[in-house]
Amino acid sequence: MVPIESRDMDLRRHLRESGIEPKLRGLICEIAEATKYVINAVRTGDLGMAGTSNLYGEEQLALDVLSDRIISDRLENSGLVINISSEEKDIIVNVDSDNNGLFSVAFDPLDGSSLVDVNLAVGSIFSIYKGENILQGGRKQAAALFVVYGPRTTLIYSAKKGVHEFALNHLGDFTLMREKIQMKDTGKIYSPGGLRSKYLPGHKKFIDFLEKRGSKLRYSGGLVPDINQILLKGEGIFMYPALQGAPHGKLRLLFELYPMAFIVEQAGGSASTGKTGILDVKIDNLDQRAPVYIGCKNDVEKVKDFLKE
Ligand code: FDP
């Protein structure tokens, strides 16, 4: 990991100096702007349920619905986007009214939204593709990013030129914290999703192996903060395995796994279903799910031996 060289380097300048093409950097900046409104909603919004009314009879929106609306509106008005698909809506929406769009964006507006009312960290996740096809597959992503709404608001992006972290400062700018984040080959943190009583034998043995090896359990229940921790500590493995009764696990390829796999691979880590690389899994529907092992390269490789048995 390269030490912080300048705390004044903001996201826009970083994208420009990294040689990211102008329209793509414009889109990443639009997304970053939208997330500032999401964090405001998370910090100050009512924890109302969708479809209910507040004291004044106005409709209250659940935070995930509100976040979806904030991000969708911003993308629609950016003039850069053809199609969007949100985890919240589960359809592909054409937003390219003036036919100038160049990209399509899949996003999870507020992942882990059930954690907001217990004040744990949550986040938004984005995948950017060139062109109109949102189901091109993970390897075709032009860029991916996520934003963590925790004690601080941080943004991690990769546009195939390394993985970089920014933090929202008191002036409302995302400024560079860490550049060219790199993961170790093996690590001592594990984040295990899914009910233990539903584990399949190979997965259970892998968990036993990690525990005997002295790995520490670190699981918040939010994909964004859990992956963020592994990435920034530079070590560990997050998993949401195939379970009895759920052979494809829980997490969704398009909105969760592709972008996280893209970022972790760019940081020198790896992501697999236990058999196939996540980015190589072909996708044919928005709701497609896959088991996932993501993090340090050697740990992700090691699990394959256990799952083969
Ligand atoms: P949630 O259902 O709270 O939205 O994507 C869904 C997700 O959270 C991830 O953020 C998280 O990693 C996972 O589900 C947690 O699932 P479990 O509660 O089954 O561990």
Side-chain angles (χ1 to χ4, degrees):
M1 206 176 295
V2 172
I4 306 162
E5 279 167 7
S6 162
R7 285 192 180 265
D8 296 321
M9 170 78 90
D10 72 5
L11 178 63
R12 193 175 294 275
R13 188 175 135 208
H14 191 269
L15 288 159
R16 192 178 59 242
E17 292 187 4
S18 304
I20 309 303
E21 56 166 298
K23 301 274 185 196
L24 181 55
R25 63 185 197 238
L27 178 55
I28 291 173
C29 289
E30 286 288 339
I31 291 172
E33 283 306 307
T35 64
K36 293 177 189 173
Y37 292 84
V38 175
I39 185 62
N40 190 51
V42 169
R43 293 252 157 89
T44 61
D46 288 326
L47 297 176
M49 307 297 288
T52 60
S53 301
N54 67 15
L55 201 58
Y56 312 101
E58 295 160 332
E59 188 197 0
Q60 267 183 36
L61 294 175
L63 278 175
D64 40 11
V65 179
L66 182 57
S67 309
D68 179 46
R69 210 173 265 188
I70 291 169
I71 295 167
S72 300
D73 286 354
R74 190 93 200 187
L75 292 175
E76 190 168 343
N77 290 316
S78 69
L80 294 164
V81 177
I82 308 168
N83 288 318
I84 60 174
S85 184
S86 152
E87 204 252 3
E88 197 54 39
K89 283 204 222 76
D90 264 350
I91 47 168
I92 297 174
V93 182
N94 183 283
V95 294
D96 194 16
S97 49
D98 51 11
N99 285 325
N100 282 330
L102 292 171
F103 303 98
S104 291
V105 182
F107 61 98
D108 187 347
L110 198 61
D111 188 80
S113 53
S114 62
L115 301 174
V116 176
D117 53 3
V118 290
N119 208 12
L120 282 170
V122 292
S124 304
I125 316 172
F126 303 85
S127 265
I128 302 176
Y129 298 90
K130 279 198 177 139
E132 62 185 307
N133 184 3
I134 232 161
L135 298 178
Q136 297 175 38
R139 290 249 171 252
K140 295 284 173 60
Q141 289 170 96
L145 58 148
F146 64 80
V147 177
V148 189
Y149 313 118
R152 293 181 304 144
T153 301
T154 55
L155 179 152
I156 300 263
Y157 91 87
S158 179
K160 298 192 191 160
K161 294 193 175 178
V163 178
H164 318 289
E165 185 201 24
F166 295 77
L168 194 63
N169 69 14
H170 63 291
L171 298 171
D173 296 322
F174 279 108
T175 57
L176 183 63
M177 297 300 289
R178 274 171 264 213
E179 241 189 336
K180 300 193 177 117
I181 293 163
Q182 276 295 316
M183 297 199 62
K184 295 178 199 158
D185 291 342
T186 54
K188 290 218 161 162
I189 292 176
Y190 73 110
S191 303
L195 266 186
R196 207 176 176 105
S197 60
K198 303 268 183 201
Y199 284 177
L200 300 174
H203 180 74
K204 190 172 181 327
K205 282 189 195 145
F206 181 60
I207 297 286
D208 291 344
F209 160 80
L210 292 172
E211 285 170 352
K212 280 196 195 108
R213 200 177 73 176
S215 289
K216 282 186 185 166
L217 187 148
R218 291 283 184 270
Y219 189 71
S220 78
L223 179 68
V224 176
D226 283 337
I227 297 277
N228 186 59
Q229 168 166 235
I230 284 171
L231 200 60
L232 294 181
K233 298 270 186 211
E235 60 166 327
I237 181 166
F238 174 95
M239 28 206 158
Y240 208 107
L243 298 167
Q244 284 170 38
H248 303 293
K250 173 181 183 187
L251 301 180
R252 298 169 79 179
L253 263 179
L254 185 67
F255 305 108
E256 297 172 311
L257 301 186
Y258 276 168
M260 291 308 196
F262 180 89
I263 290 170
V264 167
E265 283 202 5
Q266 286 288 321
S270 174
S272 164
T273 63
K275 290 189 187 125
T276 313
I278 289 289
L279 295 177
D280 298 315
V281 177
K282 291 215 166 59
I283 187 160
D284 50 34
N285 70 79
L286 300 177
D287 190 41
Q288 198 167 318
R289 291 155 203 258
V292 66
Y293 296 86
I294 179 168
C296 291
K297 233 194 305 213
N298 292 349
D299 296 342
V300 172
E301 203 46 44
K302 183 85 189 159
V303 73
K304 292 183 185 165
D305 302 335
F306 287 91
L307 298 183
K308 258 187 238 148
E309 284 173 16

